[in-house]
């Protein structure tokens, strides 16, 4: 919220307000009860575009009766460190991983993550079945999951682990990985 009317000394007469569209966000006059209670008059609500930061310039105009004044607003949007996302920048965010490996094989699959600030990512394995799963780093943005010993679907069909992805700014996000072991006919024909 930007209180641009605080320095106005013309307060009588009919007032109209306008604001130009910023290049990297949205600006509009806010007439909400909270704004009026806080400032005693409308104020400009500026919301930058998601994941944008930098300098923004736009104008507003105040008209009292036949007197019009136009002024510039300069806003510096400071970057914030976002937590990593699971998935890839190209394909977008995923909310969970499900794998269906065949029994008697070690390989499960890959878990990928990305960071909007391009920080390296540290992965942490936890959860109910973490003692049955290996996690091996695959570059800066992925890990490969595998079983420590070949699973047998007759003994256990379902495994679950959690993986946290943490960036250089200590922001993290966690995801659940569900693993359904597929039974194969491992008995020789009679």
């Amino acid at each position: 919220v930007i209180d641009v009317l605080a320095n106005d000394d013309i307060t009588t007469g009919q007032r109209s307000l306008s604001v130009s569209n910023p290049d990297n966000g949205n600006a509009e006059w806010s007439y909400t009860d909270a704004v009026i209670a806080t400032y005693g008059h409308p104020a400009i609500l500026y919301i930058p575009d998601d994941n944008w930061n930098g300098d923004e310039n736009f104008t507003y105009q105040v008209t009292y009766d036949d007197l019009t004044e136009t002024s510039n607003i300069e806003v510096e949007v400071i970057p914030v460190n976002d937590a990593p996302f699971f998935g890839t920048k190209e394909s977008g965010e995923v909310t969970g991983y499900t794998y269906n490996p065949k029994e008697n094989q070690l390989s499960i699959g890959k878990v990928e993550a990305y960071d909007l600030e391009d920080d390296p990512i540290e992965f942490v394995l936890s959860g109910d079945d973490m003692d049955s799963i290996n996690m091996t780093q695959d570059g800066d943005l992925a890990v490969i999951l595998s079983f420590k010993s070949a699973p047998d679907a007759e003994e256990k069909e379902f495994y679950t682990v959690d993986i946290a992805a943490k960036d250089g700014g200590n922001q993290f996000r966690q995801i659940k990985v569900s693993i359904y072991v597929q039974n194969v006919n491992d008995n020789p024909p009679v």
Side-chain angles (χ1 to χ4, degrees):
V1 175
I2 305 168
D3 184 15
V4 296
L5 298 180
N7 62 356
D8 279 8
D9 53 5
I10 303 172
T11 58
T12 61
Q14 183 64 37
R15 176 173 57 191
S16 70
L17 308 169
S18 64
V19 62
S20 67
N21 285 328
D23 292 333
N24 301 293
N26 183 43
E28 60 186 33
W29 285 98
S30 177
Y31 298 87
T32 65
D33 291 342
V35 167
I36 301 298
T38 301
Y39 303 106
H41 48 258
I44 293 175
L45 176 63
Y46 169 71
I47 300 174
D49 290 338
D50 286 346
N51 299 312
W52 179 84
N53 61 78
D55 295 326
E56 181 78 277
N57 296 294
F58 53 99
T59 61
Y60 72 98
Q61 193 172 63
V62 178
T63 301
Y64 286 105
D65 294 327
D66 60 350
L67 177 64
T68 298
E69 292 289 331
T70 301
S71 295
N72 293 320
I73 296 175
E74 295 179 10
V75 177
E76 179 185 4
V77 178
I78 299 170
V80 296
N81 183 31
D82 296 297
F85 293 93
F86 286 93
T88 65
K89 283 186 180 179
E90 296 77 25
S91 63
E93 182 180 10
V94 297
T95 57
Y97 284 92
T98 301
Y99 293 103
N100 299 295
K102 293 180 180 174
E103 69 177 343
N104 302 320
Q105 73 173 24
L106 296 177
S107 177
I108 298 171
K110 181 185 276 192
V111 173
E112 297 176 296
Y114 63 95
D115 186 66
L116 295 175
E117 296 82 28
D118 294 323
D119 287 338
I121 295 175
E122 175 187 341
F123 293 90
V124 178
L125 179 69
S126 64
D128 294 340
D129 296 308
M130 67 180 275
D131 292 336
S132 299
I133 307 294
N134 282 323
M135 183 176 72
T136 307
Q137 191 80 28
D138 183 32
D140 289 337
L141 304 177
V143 290
I144 303 293
L145 300 179
S146 61
F147 286 105
K148 290 183 178 179
S149 62
D152 183 348
E154 285 84 14
E155 291 179 18
K156 183 171 176 145
E157 291 180 290
F158 180 69
Y159 295 80
T160 182
V161 293
D162 297 310
I163 296 181
K166 183 175 87 169
D167 68 10
N170 289 324
Q171 296 293 318
F172 73 93
R173 194 174 309 269
Q174 186 168 307
I175 198 165
K176 182 156 301 289
V177 179
S178 300
I179 306 159
Y180 297 90
V181 177
Q182 302 302 302
N183 192 15
V184 295
N185 186 1
D186 49 5
N187 294 321
V190 181

